[in-house]
Amino acid sequence: MADGSPHRAGGVDVVVLAKFVPNPSGAPPEIGPDFRLTRSEANAGLDPSDEPGLELAVSLVEARGGAVTVVSVGAEGAVGALWRALAYGVDAAVLVEDDALAGADVLATATVLAATIRRRPFDLIIAGVESTDGGTGTLPIALAELLDLPAATFARRVEIEDGTVTIERQTSSGYDVVDCALPALVSVTAAAAVPRYPSLRETIQAKKKPVERLSLADLGLTAEDVRATQRVTAVEIAPEKEPGELVEDETYALQRIVQLLEEAKVL
Amino acid sequence: MSVPGVWVYAEHGPDGTVDRSTLGLLTKARAVGREVAAVSLGAGAAASVPALADHGAATVFVDDDPVYAEWPGEPAAYVLAQLAADHRPDLLLFGSSYDARDVAGRLQAMLGTPLVANAEHVLDVDHVRLVVALLQTPGRPGNLRGGIGGAKLVDVELTGRAPRIVLMRPQALEAERHGGHADVVRVDVAIPDARKRTRRRARHEEQGEGPKLEDARVVVAGGRGLGAAENFRLLDELAGAIGNAAVGATRPVVDAGWTPFAMQIGQTGKTVSPDVYIAVGISGAAQHIVGAKDSARIVAINKDRQAPIFQYADLGVVGDALTIVPALVEELGRR
Ligand SMILES: Cc1cc2nc3c(=O)[nH]c(=O)nc-3n(C[C@H](O)[C@H](O)[C@H](O)COP(=O)(O)OP(=O)(O)OC[C@H]3O[C@@H](n4cnc5c(N)ncnc54)[C@H](O)[C@@H]3O)c2cc1C
Ligand SMILES: Nc1ncnc2c1ncn2[C@@H]1O[C@H](COP(=O)(O)O)[C@@H](O)[C@H]1O
């Protein structure tokens, strides 16, 4: 446990990160005049990449005691993502929102997350490996550095024993076994846990649970601390390609596939 | 000795074989028109120098210490931070592998400098062009040949201080030989024990049989539409009937444990550009398509005629993969 805090024997206090993203199954986000993605509550929600981490956090705590806190840095409306997390059985939710955060980049977001997480003792931080919209895949490791923590990343399997977290880390040809002492950060792939489906009752009750809302000032940060270090100057949309031939008749389809393979000289 | 300019973080095997993405990064680095250096750490570093030089590195920082393999990520970031403080490069280029992201992300937090990912081109030391995939949903048309599936090209100006960190999309990287010789600079940085916290205990390989995905002339890729792990056998049979063909997969299929990660094609998996790409039961999400869009010909088999994959296909077949694939294997067998 961090900071030598008093602790239930065997329990783990887990902080899980949740990002609010344009709804992957809704209308695509638009690019505004300032070249930023416009997000609204209506077409946004919890990033699906964060669901395995939430599942892992909740099941770890169910098995050995402790508590799960979900933390999100986002715009107004990100509370929708937190309700979804609360429906999983997360104990507490913290949302940092501030006008100065519009357009915040990875390091700015990590700085805010670090300031938020640092306020209370914890054993483990769980993040997704890559957000669905931003997708740098570097926020978790930057956060670990800001909090002076070891990190075990790209985990497809996570186990905790005797103050050590051991993971199977995805590689391009298999996996590595990697470990480090707690407190630590792990980032998890979708293979790490299969998300449960919160019931309707849990979903309704989640909206009644409190969400702690913080501004930058509450964290002792200023707009200067989260100033963007990059600026979009142009956006270009690639032209669409003409669709190819579409075949429905099976016998003809087989003929055409064989012809195409012959033309490509691969048979 | 001071080496400013554009630096490339080199990834290589223990025998010094340099990853193709690293060689492609050197090509990008040269295009910026400044001094180019590479940083090569871990077993095989010294042996990697000739290839790095041949692709345009004028200086290579080398450290053969096995510490980098045993303690992944953190020692490498620490050493880079020290080297950057001593030599003040303008730009640090990384690939997008998990290892590269771990080093780059930690380094960014150490240095407090800007980082951009998914870069397609480095325009100059202040500007990069990125690809942003906005449409991640099946059911929506995307773009292909003119650009990247369902994506937009975005130009970004880097305003923070140097060294700026840029992670390049693997798809954007093309290795070009340059010829040349590199000065070797031995890295002499002591890594504190406090930076040895995350340890690699074991490595496991899960490679399949047959030609490698990246080398095969035909790739037969399967998606969730195959319905069950055992139906991947149909794709093995099809690959066998064609010959010099490899089997690939989409991410949900890998996540479900139907196939190993080594077979994943797409944004977070491999990039392939075979003569023929056959997508079976794949919806055609932008994150999948980016890994296959450079294929010379694309064939798609999908039972939903609205599937976005048909936007990319030269030949689309609307129908049930579970009957069409066996029929095709039989047809090829008759020939
Ligand atoms: C950050 C991020 C990174 C990602 N990286 C990758 C990546 O690297 N690679 C990747 O693949 N995905 C990636 N994805 C996931 C991607 O967005 C899609 O979810 C995924 O590609 C869809 O896989 P699929 O086509 O197998 O499944 P689905 O989208 O479920 O499509 C299945 C298709 O099969 C068809 N079908 C069903 N039954 C049959 C039948 N009997 N015969 C024929 N057709 C049938 C259906 O009509 C449907 O079109 C990533 C997502 C995110 C957010
Ligand atoms: N604004 C945010 N609030 C909370 N968590 C975040 C935020 N942005 C990113 N994350 C976490 O970091 C992971 C990787 O994000 P990224 O580096 O943006 O791809 C995500 O899957 C989330 O778990």
Side-chain angles (χ1 to χ4, degrees):
Chain A
M1 72 217 83
D3 307 334
S5 63
H7 210 278
R8 264 161 292 192
V12 276
D13 286 333
V14 183
V15 174
V16 55
L17 306 185
K19 190 176 182 185
F20 164 79
V21 298
N23 191 340
S25 51
E30 286 307 314
I31 296 181
D34 57 353
F35 296 126
R36 282 178 187 145
L37 298 189
T38 53
R39 292 171 195 191
S40 71
E41 218 162 325
N43 69 355
L46 174 65
D47 188 340
S49 319
D50 284 327
E51 302 217 17
L54 276 163
E55 175 62 44
L56 178 68
V58 170
S59 49
L60 274 174
V61 165
E62 280 170 356
R64 47 177 70 223
V68 183
T69 304
V70 59
V71 179
S72 188
V73 171
E76 178 60 44
V79 67
L82 294 182
W83 283 333
R84 170 86 187 165
L86 285 165
Y88 268 85
V90 160
D91 302 285
V94 185
L95 173 60
V96 185
E97 44 187 356
D98 201 301
D99 289 344
L101 285 169
D105 54 26
V106 195
L107 191 54
T109 307
T111 303
V112 176
L113 284 167
T116 310
I117 293 170
R118 209 179 263 134
R119 298 177 312 149
R120 303 200 185 109
F122 62 88
D123 302 293
L124 183 67
I125 301 174
I126 300 177
V129 292
E130 186 174 47
S131 59
T132 308
D133 62 338
T136 70
T138 59
L139 181 133
I141 192 78
L143 174 62
E145 177 62 21
L146 294 176
L147 291 169
D148 190 16
L149 292 177
T153 51
F154 303 97
R156 63 176 210 181
R157 194 189 156 97
V158 178
E159 257 161 49
I160 290 185
E161 215 174 305
D162 299 333
T164 298
V165 56
T166 304
I167 68 154
E168 286 182 11
R169 183 177 198 268
Q170 196 82 75
T171 65
S172 64
S173 57
Y175 66 95
D176 291 349
V177 177
V178 165
D179 67 27
C180 61
L182 297 178
L185 176 144
V186 295
S187 70
V188 297
T189 72
V194 180
R196 65 193 69 183
Y197 289 98
S199 68
L200 185 61
R201 196 167 143 267
E202 287 165 324
T203 306
I204 294 168
Q205 281 178 342
K207 298 195 180 181
K208 299 189 186 123
K209 294 190 190 172
V211 172
E212 184 183 7
R213 288 169 184 257
L214 301 173
S215 66
L216 287 184
D218 294 328
L219 294 166
L221 295 170
T222 66
E224 189 55 26
D225 295 317
V226 297
R227 195 168 48 91
T229 53
Q230 45 192 269
R231 193 171 69 86
V232 174
T233 56
V235 174
E236 184 192 316
I237 299 161
E240 297 218 356
K241 184 208 163 203
E242 292 293 312
E245 174 188 1
L246 206 58
V247 180
E248 304 212 22
D249 177 78
E250 190 183 310
T251 316
Y252 183 59
L254 295 180
Q255 261 177 34
R256 287 291 298 123
I257 297 175
V258 173
Q259 264 171 16
L260 184 138
L261 292 170
E262 277 172 343
E263 279 159 27
K265 300 193 174 59
V266 293
L267 288 181
Chain B
M1 180 172 132
S2 177
V3 187
V6 183
W7 288 14
V8 166
Y9 177 72
E11 295 181 78
H12 52 77
D15 61 352
T17 308
V18 179
D19 289 9
R20 284 200 70 72
S21 62
T22 297
L23 301 177
L25 285 174
L26 287 165
T27 308
K28 293 284 178 190
R30 268 195 294 134
V32 181
R34 307 240 171 150
E35 184 90 358
V36 175
V39 180
S40 185
L41 306 174
S48 74
V49 172
L52 297 170
D54 193 32
H55 288 78
T59 307
V60 184
F61 294 92
V62 166
D63 188 359
D64 270 307
D65 196 325
V67 67
Y68 304 103
E70 189 179 352
W71 309 93
E74 203 168 350
Y78 180 82
V79 164
L80 277 169
Q82 303 301 312
L83 291 174
D86 290 347
H87 299 276
R88 314 206 156 274
D90 299 308
L91 273 180
L92 302 173
L93 302 189
F94 288 81
S96 292
S97 70
Y98 293 165
D99 290 338
R101 287 194 238 181
D102 272 1
V103 176
R106 209 176 257 280
L107 180 64
Q108 182 198 21
M110 288 173 176
L111 299 172
T113 61
L115 175 149
V116 283
N118 291 324
E120 183 83 6
H121 293 298
V122 182
L123 304 171
D124 58 49
V125 291
D126 301 311
H127 295 87
V128 291
R129 180 163 294 166
L130 319 180
V131 176
V132 180
L134 290 179
L135 311 183
Q136 42 251 185
T137 350
R140 231 181 291 287
N143 311 304
L144 183 64
R145 296 282 150 80
I148 284 72
K152 305 194 179 186
L153 295 179
V154 176
D155 286 349
V156 173
E157 181 185 9
L158 301 170
T159 53
R161 62 199 165 82
R164 283 88 177 248
I165 300 170
V166 179
L167 282 75
M168 306 286 302
R169 291 174 66 234
Q171 291 84 356
L173 300 173
E174 197 108 27
E176 262 170 48
R177 294 184 59 186
H178 173 67
H181 166 84
D183 291 332
V184 172
V185 179
R186 301 262 155 217
V187 173
D188 185 23
V189 176
I191 298 158
D193 284 346
R195 289 293 182 182
K196 297 176 193 163
R197 298 191 277 192
T198 301
R199 189 169 201 163
R200 180 183 274 130
R201 300 282 177 183
R203 294 175 189 262
H204 296 269
E205 300 292 323
E206 293 178 326
Q207 275 299 7
E209 309 151 26
K212 281 177 64 184
L213 258 186
E214 299 90 319
D215 302 334
R217 291 193 60 201
V218 178
V219 171
V220 183
R224 194 139 59 177
L226 281 169
E230 54 274 17
N231 292 334
F232 258 79
R233 180 182 45 82
L234 299 174
L235 302 193
D236 292 331
E237 288 169 10
L238 179 54
I242 295 171
N244 197 0
V247 177
T250 63
R251 182 161 110 172
V253 159
V254 171
D255 286 345
W258 294 3
T259 62
F261 176 69
M263 284 166 65
Q264 183 172 318
I265 293 169
Q267 183 179 318
T268 33
K270 291 188 170 149
T271 302
V272 296
S273 49
D275 292 333
V276 183
Y277 187 76
I278 307 178
V280 185
I282 292 178
S283 58
Q287 293 91 350
H288 178 75
I289 292 296
V290 291
K293 71 175 181 65
D294 292 330
S295 308
R297 294 173 184 77
I298 297 179
V299 179
I301 303 172
N302 195 302
K303 70 174 185 192
D304 172 11
R305 75 189 323 280
Q306 301 299 326
I309 189 76
F310 289 134
Q311 297 277 330
Y312 309 110
D314 300 286
L315 174 61
V317 176
V318 183
D320 184 351
L322 301 183
T323 63
I324 292 172
V325 175
L328 182 57
V329 171
E330 205 175 300
E331 178 73 29
L332 290 167
R334 265 201 293 273
R335 291 162 43 91

